[in-house]
Amino acid sequence: MTASKIGGVLAPVLTAFTNRAELDVERSLTHCQWLLQNGCDSLVVFGTTSEANSCSVSERSALLERLVAAGVHPERLIPGTGCCSLKDTIELTRQAVQLGCAGVLTLPPFYYKQISVDGLFQYFSQVIDTVNDERLRLYLYHIPPISMVPIPLDLVEKLLDRFPETLAGVKDSSGDWASMQSFLQFAEKGFDVFSGSEEFLLPLLQAGGAGTISAAANVIPGILQALYQGWKQPGSEQRQTAVKKISSVLRSKPLIPSLKAILAKARRDARWKECRPPLVALNLKEEEDLFEALDETQFDWHTSGPGPA
Amino acid sequence: MTASKIGGVLAPVLTAFTNRAELDVERSLTHCQWLLQNGCDSLVVFGTTSEANSCSVSERSALLERLVAAGVHPERLIPGTGCCSLKDTIELTRQAVQLGCAGVLTLPPFYYKQISVDGLFQYFSQVIDTVNDERLRLYLYHIPPISMVPIPLDLVEKLLDRFPETLAGVKDSSGDWASMQSFLQFAEKGFDVFSGSEEFLLPLLQAGGAGTISAAANVIPGILQALYQGWKQPGSEQRQTAVKKISSVLRSKPLIPSLKAILAKARRDARWKECRPPLVALNLKEEEDLFEALDETQFDWHTSGPGPA
């Protein structure tokens, strides 16, 4: 991994599937390349938005290898590596380091609930100690609405004490501004805070955060990059407000199928709608409602691809 | 798989680990053999109590193969096969069928929450259709306190309509008697209801259920078998009350580490205390409190092994 700082606009990359729910490696690759050319600073492959936990370890491992082989620079990749099983998390983390990825974003083990700080500390310590590579930079993934296992502040403190060079930051997808502020207390130790939603990008940058790892970046990378680049300039509040309008439309229906429906339209490729069960594509009525609500925000479809047919 | 009916007392088998959190296949095998010789009718290897989701697919697969190779009869095995990833669930389910296991116990995919019935139906349908083997008997695993993804009654109805021969029953670990009663509406279609806790064994049998898949069966298989065998005989209420007393002690501390602490003492083998992170062993104070509370129930340590040194 590299010492260069990660920040700005990152997409948890949507994964393409075939109509038989098989992973479509080549279309996933094309989407990664498009994102890097259209406003994303780095890519979190295998995030929540990527349906990563609906894929097997070997599928994830093969896709990552393909991305790097195809010329996606590993310094712009932060694979998600957190599984329920310590073994799987170690395997995926080790692969990411060995391929030269900039970092990894790691969920806590999420099957058992109400896990002690000690249990989480042992888990993350064993990942870091077993991978045992000074290039590793690990970002914690705090997404209590989905994982149901939060990242406690005590855990960050203990891990920073023990692994100051390795523990790189957090992605906070709690949707709770107070939570992001709490993580910022560790910023002076080089611990970077990313918001899990584009809605918080400007306030988080103003408060000392590093950027956003935003599902919406899959469809509006350019808009988010403009907000990021110009966050100290006049008009930034208005740009954040415009982003919030799009965000609230995206989150009015199941988020991942909605993003895929938008890609399908903007890329003129209906296959993008495919999800892997248990997620399912929007039905036609949901899709119509989504597109209508988006159009009401003056949404520019060319920001998500060549534009609708 | 076999057409013979599964029922009675089943243990979700504790998995042995080394002090480096490696799976200890041989001690896990010995425990399976002990359970079958001491009161368990069948074994759910890879349940919640087994820390199954803390193990990789290949670890689970290798352990199942070893059990069968060592002479544990597959007709007495119901492996847990439910993972977040459809691919993994299919792989483990297929292996179980091919080895001749009596059935599989399958969690819903548990990473995403608030999944639609349609999404769950597509998931389970793809598992059953892809494995495509008439020997498959699939039990649904309803454990909302941990998976946070319940098994809705609508789902059972749709799956029973589509796969009447394959859908075999449910393990209900909700701890909610009303929930178990709701599942019993499908009993006349040959859909078997197991309680996820020994506390409900007698009332569930009286209401038409099939038995229990009980964590406590790891340490008191004989006591539970006596309750099961004699459920129509005088004294059954008293036997159920005695079981409840033990249950409430076991559940007063983290359940899996508590069961392992009991095995460690009764088998005179401290290695049994080892858990894989994120679970951690009880500390000494917790262990003392547990043993003291157990002794107050007149607990017979010889029911869990040769007895303490």
Side-chain angles (χ1 to χ4, degrees):
Chain A
M1 299 194 177
T2 166
S4 74
K5 205 70 176 171
I6 299 297
V9 176
L10 287 76
V13 183
L14 286 165
T15 303
F17 293 99
T18 70
N19 63 3
R20 299 179 63 83
E22 292 295 329
L23 204 153
D24 188 330
V25 171
E26 295 311 309
R27 276 192 307 127
S28 298
L29 164 64
T30 304
H31 183 48
C32 285
Q33 291 165 329
W34 183 87
L35 288 170
L36 289 172
Q37 285 155 10
N38 287 275
C40 283
D41 294 296
S42 298
L43 302 179
V44 172
V45 281
F46 318 126
T48 298
T49 310
S50 318
E51 298 169 77
N53 285 305
S54 300
C55 298
S56 67
V57 166
S58 58
E59 285 179 316
R60 291 161 72 156
S61 171
L63 176 52
L64 184 62
E65 226 166 83
R66 175 74 185 115
L67 295 180
V68 173
V72 177
H73 204 295
E75 288 194 11
R76 297 183 79 178
L77 291 175
I78 302 180
T81 63
C83 304
C84 296
S85 151
L86 180 65
K87 286 277 172 179
D88 291 339
T89 302
I90 288 170
E91 180 178 339
L92 291 172
T93 302
R94 179 181 282 134
Q95 181 202 22
V97 177
Q98 288 175 347
L99 285 173
C101 292
V104 295
L105 176 65
T106 309
L107 281 163
F110 52 84
Y111 183 64
Y112 297 102
K113 307 301 186 291
Q114 296 174 305
I115 289 301
S116 66
V117 170
D118 187 34
L120 291 172
F121 179 74
Q122 288 197 25
Y123 180 91
F124 282 108
S125 297
Q126 290 201 21
V127 172
I128 297 170
D129 283 334
T130 307
V131 170
N132 189 23
D133 193 312
E134 60 182 19
R135 294 171 297 172
L136 173 60
R137 286 176 65 77
L138 187 145
Y139 296 83
L140 299 166
Y141 191 1
H142 179 62
I143 183 168
I146 293 188
S147 67
M148 303 281 177
V149 179
I151 301 289
L153 296 173
D154 287 3
L155 174 68
V156 178
E157 199 158 0
K158 286 183 75 167
L159 287 171
L160 270 174
D161 273 357
R162 171 91 179 269
F163 305 105
E165 303 303 322
T166 305
L167 200 73
V170 69
K171 172 183 181 185
D172 185 339
S173 296
S174 64
D176 173 13
W177 176 242
S179 166
M180 293 174 224
Q181 284 178 307
S182 306
F183 284 123
L184 282 168
Q185 72 183 272
F186 304 110
E188 59 185 25
K189 295 184 177 173
F191 183 83
D192 288 337
V193 180
F194 289 88
S195 72
S197 162
E198 60 290 344
E199 299 161 88
F200 296 97
L201 177 53
L202 183 60
L204 188 67
L205 291 169
Q206 288 165 339
T212 188
I213 303 173
S214 142
N218 279 283
V219 294
I220 53 165
I223 293 174
L224 294 178
Q225 185 59 235
L227 174 58
Y228 176 63
Q229 293 278 336
W231 73 272
K232 289 180 180 166
Q233 267 120 52
S236 63
E237 297 287 351
Q238 289 87 329
R239 286 191 291 276
Q240 178 69 78
T241 302
V243 163
K244 270 191 189 167
K245 273 190 198 155
I246 297 174
S247 286
S248 77
V249 172
L250 295 177
R251 289 165 201 273
S252 64
K253 312 235 173 299
L255 178 59
I256 299 167
S258 295
L259 296 169
K260 289 189 152 182
I262 293 167
L263 272 202
K265 180 168 175 174
R267 306 273 167 90
R268 305 172 197 177
D269 180 355
R271 292 174 301 172
W272 261 111
K273 294 183 197 176
E274 300 290 345
C275 300
R276 179 173 278 184
L279 299 192
V280 290
L282 298 187
N283 62 40
L284 284 182
K285 172 77 171 74
E286 288 171 322
E287 208 178 278
E288 274 174 29
D289 290 348
L290 172 71
F291 294 165
E292 202 178 299
L294 261 186
D295 285 337
E296 280 167 19
T297 69
Q298 315 296 325
F299 184 70
D300 178 4
W301 285 91
H302 299 95
T303 195
S304 306
Chain B
M1 300 195 176
T2 168
S4 73
K5 205 72 177 168
I6 298 298
V9 176
L10 287 76
V13 184
L14 287 166
T15 303
F17 292 100
T18 69
N19 62 3
R20 300 179 64 83
E22 292 294 331
L23 203 153
D24 189 329
V25 171
E26 296 310 309
R27 275 193 308 126
S28 298
L29 164 63
T30 304
H31 183 49
C32 286
Q33 293 165 327
W34 183 88
L35 288 170
L36 289 172
Q37 286 155 9
N38 287 274
C40 283
D41 293 296
S42 298
L43 302 179
V44 172
V45 282
F46 317 128
T48 298
T49 311
S50 318
E51 297 169 76
N53 285 305
S54 300
C55 298
S56 66
V57 167
S58 59
E59 286 178 315
R60 291 162 72 156
S61 171
L63 177 52
L64 184 62
E65 226 166 83
R66 174 73 184 114
L67 294 180
V68 174
V72 176
H73 204 295
E75 288 194 12
R76 298 183 79 178
L77 290 176
I78 301 181
T81 63
C83 304
C84 295
S85 151
L86 181 64
K87 287 276 173 181
D88 291 339
T89 302
I90 289 170
E91 180 178 338
L92 291 172
T93 302
R94 180 181 282 134
Q95 181 202 22
V97 178
Q98 289 175 347
L99 285 173
C101 293
V104 296
L105 176 66
T106 309
L107 280 163
F110 53 84
Y111 182 64
Y112 297 102
K113 306 302 185 291
Q114 296 174 304
I115 290 301
S116 66
V117 170
D118 187 33
L120 291 173
F121 179 73
Q122 288 197 25
Y123 179 91
F124 282 107
S125 297
Q126 289 201 22
V127 172
I128 296 170
D129 282 335
T130 309
V131 171
N132 189 24
D133 193 311
E134 59 181 20
R135 294 172 297 172
L136 172 60
R137 288 175 64 78
L138 187 144
Y139 296 83
L140 299 166
Y141 191 2
H142 179 61
I143 181 168
I146 292 188
S147 67
M148 303 280 178
V149 178
I151 301 289
L153 296 173
D154 287 2
L155 174 68
V156 178
E157 200 158 358
K158 286 182 75 167
L159 287 171
L160 270 175
D161 272 357
R162 172 91 178 270
F163 306 104
E165 304 302 323
T166 305
L167 201 72
V170 68
K171 173 184 180 182
D172 186 338
S173 297
S174 64
D176 174 14
W177 176 241
S179 166
M180 293 173 224
Q181 284 178 308
S182 306
F183 284 122
L184 282 168
Q185 72 184 271
F186 303 110
E188 59 185 25
K189 296 184 178 175
F191 183 83
D192 287 336
V193 180
F194 288 88
S195 71
S197 161
E198 62 290 343
E199 299 162 87
F200 296 96
L201 178 53
L202 183 60
L204 189 67
L205 292 170
Q206 288 166 340
T212 187
I213 302 173
S214 142
N218 278 284
V219 295
I220 53 166
I223 293 174
L224 294 179
Q225 185 58 236
L227 174 58
Y228 176 62
Q229 293 277 337
W231 74 271
K232 289 180 180 168
Q233 267 119 53
S236 63
E237 297 288 351
Q238 289 87 329
R239 286 191 291 277
Q240 178 69 79
T241 302
V243 163
K244 268 191 190 167
K245 273 190 197 157
I246 296 174
S247 284
S248 77
V249 171
L250 294 178
R251 288 164 202 272
S252 65
K253 311 234 174 300
L255 178 60
I256 300 168
S258 294
L259 295 169
K260 289 188 151 183
I262 294 167
L263 272 202
K265 181 168 174 174
R267 305 275 167 90
R268 305 174 196 176
D269 179 356
R271 292 174 301 173
W272 262 110
K273 294 185 197 175
E274 299 292 343
C275 299
R276 179 173 277 184
L279 299 192
V280 290
L282 297 187
N283 62 39
L284 284 182
K285 173 75 171 73
E286 289 170 320
E287 207 178 281
E288 274 174 28
D289 290 348
L290 171 71
F291 294 165
E292 203 178 298
L294 262 187
D295 285 336
E296 280 167 18
T297 69
Q298 315 296 323
F299 183 70
D300 177 4
W301 285 90
H302 298 94
T303 196
S304 305

